[in-house]
Amino acid sequence: MHYSERLLGYIKRAEQTTQAAKEHVLRDHGITPAQQSAMAILSDHDGITAAELARKCAVTPQTMNSTLGRLEKRGLVERRPHPMHGTLIEVRLTAAGRELFDRADTHVATLDTNLAAELSSQEKSELKRLLTRVSDTAQQIIAPPESSRTSAG
């Protein structure tokens, strides 16, 4: 099969163009897709650690600390010691961060709706199901379940 027909190419093109559209939408809000993703997780999990946030965003802790540093300088997030476990640092959206996230997320939700406008609800469900299967398969290649690793040895 020619490389231009491989599934990986279609997935990469879709990822690149949808991320470019997301960057375009977020530009007016002064945040990047990575910052918006971190703020989205924080909007649901206020007070988690930077390490946990990095895992949920699928980035390294170093990358997350850089992202948080930029958000913190703008007053959009704050880091403070956990009240019971002083060695843990909680990350929270500030009021300004929550307000900015809410405004930006409205535009991201509109983008999501527009991207799916040409798909029926059945096609959207099928696309999500198929992409989940591809992601799950890729994850098993990266990190096979423990039972697969021990039985193969």
Side-chain angles (χ1 to χ4, degrees):
M1 173 186 312
H2 191 264
Y3 70 87
S4 65
E5 292 300 314
R6 292 181 188 146
L7 180 61
L8 289 168
Y10 285 91
I11 292 170
K12 182 65 174 178
R13 282 189 297 280
E15 192 268 337
Q16 286 175 324
T17 55
T18 56
Q19 283 302 301
K22 187 175 180 183
E23 285 174 21
H24 178 76
V25 165
L26 291 172
R27 192 171 297 132
D28 289 341
H29 300 284
I31 57 175
T32 66
Q35 292 169 335
Q36 189 268 346
S37 293
M39 294 171 80
I41 299 297
L42 286 172
S43 74
D44 288 336
H45 303 282
D46 217 26
I48 65 174
T49 66
E52 189 176 356
L53 184 57
R55 280 190 294 278
K56 289 183 180 293
C57 289
V59 298
T60 65
Q62 295 85 352
T63 297
M64 184 52 65
N65 276 325
S66 176
T67 298
L68 289 174
R70 287 190 294 281
L71 291 171
E72 192 172 31
K73 281 181 187 170
R74 292 183 56 200
L76 302 174
V77 300
E78 63 183 1
R79 296 186 250 197
R80 58 183 143 158
H82 186 281
M84 302 278 292
H85 308 285
T87 58
L88 294 177
I89 304 296
E90 296 180 327
V91 182
R92 297 182 181 283
L93 286 173
T94 62
R98 186 164 298 281
E99 190 272 329
L100 176 63
F101 169 73
D102 289 342
R103 276 189 295 118
D105 194 57
T106 298
H107 289 104
V108 172
T110 300
L111 170 63
D112 193 78
T113 299
N114 291 339
L115 290 173
E118 298 296 318
L119 302 174
S120 70
S121 57
Q122 183 179 348
E123 287 171 326
K124 286 187 281 191
S125 295
E126 183 69 2
L127 181 58
K128 289 176 185 179
R129 187 184 69 75
L130 291 170
L131 288 172
T132 299
R133 281 179 55 194
V134 169
S135 294
D136 290 349
T137 300
Q139 186 59 46
Q140 288 178 11
I141 292 167
I142 295 167
E146 284 295 322
S147 59
S148 300
R149 283 186 258 167
T150 54
S151 62

